[in-house]
Amino acid sequence: MFSYLKGFLVSHASKLILSLLVGVPVITTVSIIISNQIAKKEPIDLQPEEVVRRLQEDYPGWQDKLFACPCTEDEIIQQRKINAKSYPLTPSNAAERQLEMSYHPGAKGFYRSAAPDEYRPEGRNDLYPLRPGQQCTYDENGRLITHGPAAGTPDAYGSNATDSYFFTSIGKGKISGLHRTWDVDTYKKLGWREYHKIWKPNNGNSCLFNPSPENVRSLDKQIAQAEFGIPRLLSEGVLVTNIRLFREDIKDLLDGSPRPLYEVIYESGSKDNVKRKWRRWVQCSNNNPWIAYSLNDYDNLKESQNSLIMILNLSPGNFPSYVSDYRLYWAICHNEWNVSQSFMEFEYKKYGYSPQLEFNARPISEAEFLEALYGDRSL
């Protein structure tokens, strides 16, 4: 306890000295400082759900003034040579790198803001101030990672910000206690997909989309194995063998909500008992849910872009047929596997789907389909 009191007195030394100069007793001064600290209502032990609510409702725009991540690691290295003292990003040390790699699998370079500033919305002095800090991560080629589990995420309380308040770091180790509560513990509870909806990876310099869809198969397969237990039986005779997140950065044109797009590989038997592989693309969206597939099986996809892709615009809860495709949609988007038709008919409202969605099937060219996948155009 003495060490905590010592640290407390040191951190508030200027206030104590000023008080002594004007003749205020030390005990009174310490009491005032402690009372003021308690009055700040330091948010040190919040549950993740409360952290998310506060960031959304009380601290809008908390990421807006953070330093934008450079597109390459070389740019950081050069700027640090020129402006080492003033440049805002500092590299993680060897011990920090090992920890960072466990939270951002696939990243090789890690940088954070050196001195986060306090933030609270204008006119909201009643709120406890955040100390936002930026994080930028880079791949083995030194390119900024813009999305996915390897991407860096801003912190509500920068991990290298020194807390000057008495209760912040007690029992919390060497890093900021508020960083642990607001960022680390919340990440562990939510998982990276939900976490990235609030703690959005920065791409303020409009860097290239990285990793590209072609380069994420291995990592996404590992994630699918962990999250979905791949291979996974979808229904009798249908075995899902691979799931990968194809795109996660695209937004719904109606309300701006995320509409992640997955590529799914599965096996199914045929009349001659030969197992065939099939590929489906699944877009998870309350406004525009769909499944797409090639009319050729996975092993016979044409190299040319002259073949057709079938788009099934779905209406969860109000469908005429294609039950197997709806099962696939529920499995990928809601982790509900091998569900019954009655389950889908009664559960769709709980997940926010409108009964006004209409089912339709339409073919488009493979060229048009690929253009939409790699761009931001809606299908």
Side-chain angles (χ1 to χ4, degrees), residues 95-111:
E96 291 169 339
R97 278 173 52 83
Q98 290 301 313
L99 183 61
E100 298 281 20
M101 290 173 69
S102 67
Y103 287 106
H104 305 276
K108 302 300 181 184
F110 303 90
Y111 297 82

Side-chain angles (χ1 to χ4, degrees), residues 19 21 44 252:
S19 299
L21 289 175
I44 191 66
D252 194 284

Side-chain angles (χ1 to χ4, degrees), residues 151-324:
T153 51
D155 298 316
Y157 287 91
S159 64
N160 53 7
T162 302
D163 290 305
S164 60
Y165 302 112
F166 180 47
F167 296 109
T168 300
S169 58
I170 294 178
K172 295 290 183 178
K174 295 182 179 179
I175 69 168
S176 160
L178 290 169
H179 172 61
R180 183 182 297 277
T181 295
W182 282 64
D183 303 298
V184 178
D185 291 346
T186 308
Y187 174 88
K188 291 178 179 178
K189 177 69 179 294
L190 298 180
W192 73 269
R193 296 187 199 282
E194 289 299 315
Y195 188 81
H196 283 195
K197 293 178 181 179
I198 308 297
W199 290 256
K200 299 177 181 178
N202 176 268
N203 191 14
N205 285 313
S206 300
C207 308
L208 290 175
F209 185 75
N210 182 39
S212 62
E214 294 86 352
N215 295 333
V216 297
R217 288 183 184 273
S218 177
L219 180 58
D220 275 342
K221 184 175 182 180
Q222 296 174 27
I223 294 170
Q225 288 172 338
E227 293 187 359
F228 296 102
I230 300 300
R232 189 76 180 266
L233 190 66
L234 178 66
S235 58
E236 185 177 355
V238 179
L239 188 70
V240 175
T241 59
N242 192 19
I243 302 169
R244 73 181 181 103
L245 183 63
F246 197 89
R247 290 286 300 272
E248 67 167 344
D249 63 326
I250 45 180
K251 303 289 186 179
D252 194 284
L253 297 179
L254 294 178
D255 62 3
S257 61
R259 46 185 180 98
L261 178 64
Y262 294 87
E263 181 191 68
V264 183
I265 308 298
Y266 66 88
E267 297 177 351
S268 64
S270 60
K271 293 180 180 179
D272 52 7
N273 277 332
V274 175
K275 285 276 188 178
R276 285 191 171 89
K277 285 185 179 180
W278 303 89
R279 176 162 61 174
R280 295 286 189 269
W281 291 270
V282 180
Q283 176 169 284
C284 302
S285 167
N286 283 13
N287 292 317
N288 186 22
W290 54 255
I291 285 180
Y293 60 89
S294 171
L295 299 181
N296 298 308
D297 65 35
Y298 185 75
D299 294 325
N300 293 306
L301 292 176
K302 297 178 181 178
E303 293 184 2
S304 69
Q305 295 187 6
N306 296 322
S307 58
L308 292 178
I309 300 292
M310 185 65 71
I311 305 289
L312 302 180
N313 291 102
L314 305 178
S315 54
N318 182 28
F319 49 88
S321 58
Y322 294 92
V323 173
S324 61

